[in-house]
Amino acid sequence: MDTNTNTDDRPRGAGVDADDLSILELLENDARLDARDLADILGGDEESIASSVRRMEDEKIICGYHTVINYNKVLRDERIMAFIEVDVTPMKDRGYDHTAALLAKYPEIDSLYLITGDNDFVCLVQGRTMFEVCQFVADRIAVMENVRGTKTLFVLKQYKQSGVLTAAPRAAGREGRLVVSY
């Protein structure tokens, strides 16, 4: 018996087969699809598809369902986003994972990534004001024991999120240009 496969012929540790990948791709493009929709699109059995989705949720392959919101059109002055680059000293016997676990506990941090480059982590932080975001960085992140430094990059305008365009380009022509005089 091949020890690299489970009884359902999926590679061990992969957690998904070709049908699961099709489901994931469809849900990634439209999280509103239910098992009946997926069955219609894929030509499969609704109960089997619902079971696959539940299994992938239980295994944390599907970690949530999200709506892409164009915040350029609403809450313009009530929502600030910033990318915070964090430079750390990895902890002995814990590496970066310990610091990542500490950072991930903060609800202000929407997304957290270990990265290559000049810094070790990049966090997407959200707040109501620039001051609130700055205060969070100063009071929570910068004072962590193994943090050597931070760099805050405020989002001025969002053009695309999760593969969806959120801002229309300016119209071509003179009416779209700012008047500058000397």
Side-chain angles (χ1 to χ4, degrees):
M1 178 177 193
D2 183 0
T3 58
N4 289 328
T5 58
N6 296 320
T7 56
D8 58 2
D9 293 329
R10 285 182 296 191
R12 184 167 302 207
V16 296
D17 59 20
D19 292 334
D20 292 338
L21 287 174
S22 297
I23 293 168
L24 292 172
E25 183 176 312
L26 289 167
L27 288 175
E28 185 175 37
N29 290 318
D30 186 353
R32 296 175 297 171
L33 296 173
D34 61 16
R36 176 179 290 155
D37 297 328
L38 293 167
D40 289 345
I41 294 167
L42 297 172
D45 175 60
E46 181 179 343
E47 189 173 315
S48 172
I49 288 175
S51 175
S52 292
V53 170
R54 277 192 304 276
R55 177 184 48 76
M56 289 188 286
E57 289 169 342
D58 292 343
E59 293 176 8
K60 299 296 183 202
I61 294 167
I62 298 175
C63 298
Y65 299 88
H66 303 281
T67 301
V68 177
I69 299 170
N70 184 348
Y71 282 105
N72 292 322
K73 296 191 180 264
V74 295
L75 301 175
R76 184 180 303 263
D77 297 324
E78 298 175 28
R79 183 180 177 98
I80 299 294
M81 292 188 298
F83 288 97
I84 313 300
E85 294 180 356
V86 184
D87 186 25
V88 303
T89 302
M91 299 184 77
K92 184 175 175 65
D93 299 325
R94 294 181 176 184
Y96 293 106
D97 292 344
H98 178 72
T99 304
L102 294 174
L103 288 168
K105 289 181 182 179
Y106 291 113
E108 294 88 348
I109 297 179
D110 179 77
S111 300
L112 172 65
Y113 304 95
L114 180 65
I115 60 172
T116 62
D118 294 334
N119 293 297
D120 302 301
F121 292 103
V122 65
C123 312
L124 176 60
V125 173
Q126 299 186 37
R128 289 188 308 267
T129 66
M130 289 176 112
F131 178 78
E132 184 177 282
V133 171
C134 290
Q135 203 67 41
F136 169 72
V137 172
D139 292 348
R140 299 286 188 254
I141 298 177
V143 297
M144 292 175 69
E145 183 178 338
N146 57 329
V147 170
R148 293 188 304 225
T150 64
K151 178 179 177 182
T152 301
L153 306 155
F154 285 100
V155 174
L156 302 177
K157 184 175 182 180
Q158 178 181 328
Y159 291 93
K160 188 174 183 178
Q161 178 184 339
S162 300
V164 178
L165 292 175
T166 57
R170 284 191 178 182
R174 297 176 58 99
E175 66 281 348
R177 296 184 57 132
L178 296 175
V179 176
V180 178
S181 62
Y182 295 97

